[in-house]
Amino acid sequence: MLQYLSGAALAYVCALALFLGAALGSFLNCAAWRVVRHESFVRGRSRCPDCGHVLGFLDLVPVFGWLILRGKCRYCGKKIPARYPLTELVFALVTLACVLRCDLTLLCARNLAFLACLFMLSLTDLDERIIPDGCLLAAALIWAATAPFLYETWAEAGKSLLAALVCGGGILGVSLVMDKVLGRESLGGGDIKLFAVVGLYLGLVGTLFAVLLACVLGLLLALALKKTREAFPFGPAIAAAAAIMLLWGGGLVSWYLGLFAL
């Protein structure tokens, strides 16, 4: 993608994507922090979580602000967790990948908005095992608002909607069976609704691959969190799998089917 741009123009677009992605990552991190504390993320200025001091411009510069301040609040001296620059850097790279894969198009804007929803709900799930309905609703509304412009026929849009219903219903059925077998909740309601929303964006085949990939990533996450025998946040694994399939799913599906000469 973006082959039509000159070297200088491509470098400018990439730099802009990284900067905007880092700024959006900072916002999403702040929004996730406030949501789990039942605070509004659309009102009020950013402040230090320890001393409560309103942060200035230097404090809010993505990544570099943390480095300049040496990871400490310049008002109270308390250590600022490395999570802040890491989330900014990760979403900067996610934004760059989205731009490079989808070009400067409406599809890119739609996918980036979906990725932002996935990123925010991953943070809240990691913090408090919460997948906000607001993130899922926003993702569904974004799909609905852009569908008339991105699908050639209503039948194609209908297939995605059907995929959401089939995937959501199928995962719900499997989880109910597993609940009976295990004698405890196997999958949270938020995870099931998330799979349904993923179906809107990936379709049936893409979502099935995302389910398999999410199981692998979920196992790795459980090992990393040392929670192999207890419940753990599955949302980040689902979100990561959905993001991978959204950006590189076509190539992955072709490669996998090629293994069986299909």
Side-chain angles (χ1 to χ4, degrees):
M1 294 296 180
L2 302 177
Q3 297 95 333
Y4 55 87
L5 294 178
S6 65
L10 179 60
Y12 172 76
V13 169
C14 290
L16 185 60
L18 287 170
F19 175 77
L20 293 178
L24 185 54
S26 178
F27 168 76
L28 294 172
N29 186 37
C30 176
W33 188 88
R34 293 191 182 190
V35 164
V36 297
R37 290 164 179 77
H38 306 289
E39 299 179 13
S40 172
F41 61 87
V42 295
R43 292 182 297 174
R45 296 181 59 184
S46 297
R47 61 185 186 277
C48 173
D50 290 303
C51 66
H53 197 288
V54 174
L55 301 180
F57 174 77
L58 180 63
D59 311 307
L60 298 174
V61 177
V63 183
F64 293 104
W66 186 86
L67 294 174
I68 293 172
L69 296 172
R70 297 181 180 179
K72 295 181 180 180
C73 173
R74 64 187 174 113
Y75 305 105
C76 65
K78 291 292 183 65
K79 186 176 181 180
I80 303 173
R83 160 176 166 160
Y84 288 85
L86 284 176
T87 53
E88 294 163 356
L89 181 60
V90 168
F91 203 75
L93 296 175
V94 168
T95 302
L96 177 61
C98 186
V99 171
L100 292 177
R101 291 294 298 172
C102 304
D103 212 332
L104 301 177
T105 61
L106 177 61
L107 177 64
C108 178
R110 186 204 73 165
N111 287 350
L112 184 59
F114 180 47
L115 291 169
C117 293
L118 293 176
F119 193 72
M120 180 174 168
L121 66 85
S122 296
L123 295 175
T124 59
D125 202 24
L126 283 172
D127 283 342
E128 296 292 337
R129 294 192 61 202
I130 296 172
I131 295 182
D133 286 337
C135 288
L136 301 175
L137 178 60
L141 290 177
I142 290 166
W143 178 87
T146 56
F149 308 100
L150 296 177
Y151 292 98
E152 294 184 0
T153 65
W154 286 108
E156 291 183 5
K159 289 180 180 179
S160 292
L161 185 58
L162 180 61
L165 296 175
V166 170
C167 293
I171 295 295
L172 174 61
V174 171
S175 73
L176 291 176
V177 172
M178 292 302 296
D179 289 350
K180 292 291 186 179
V181 173
L182 299 176
R184 59 180 175 82
E185 186 181 74
S186 58
L187 199 62
D191 298 328
I192 296 170
K193 288 183 283 187
L194 176 54
F195 273 122
V197 173
V198 169
L200 290 174
Y201 287 83
L202 300 184
L204 185 59
V205 174
T207 304
L208 291 177
F209 274 83
V211 171
L212 296 175
L213 184 56
C215 292
V216 175
L217 296 177
L219 177 59
L220 295 176
L221 179 61
L223 293 173
L225 297 177
K226 299 180 179 180
K227 292 186 176 183
T228 55
R229 295 189 178 183
E230 56 183 287
F232 70 97
F234 192 35
I238 301 173
I244 291 171
M245 292 301 300
L246 185 72
L247 298 177
W248 298 286
L252 290 175
V253 171
S254 298
W255 169 80
Y256 182 79
L257 294 179
L259 295 177
F260 303 96
L262 297 176

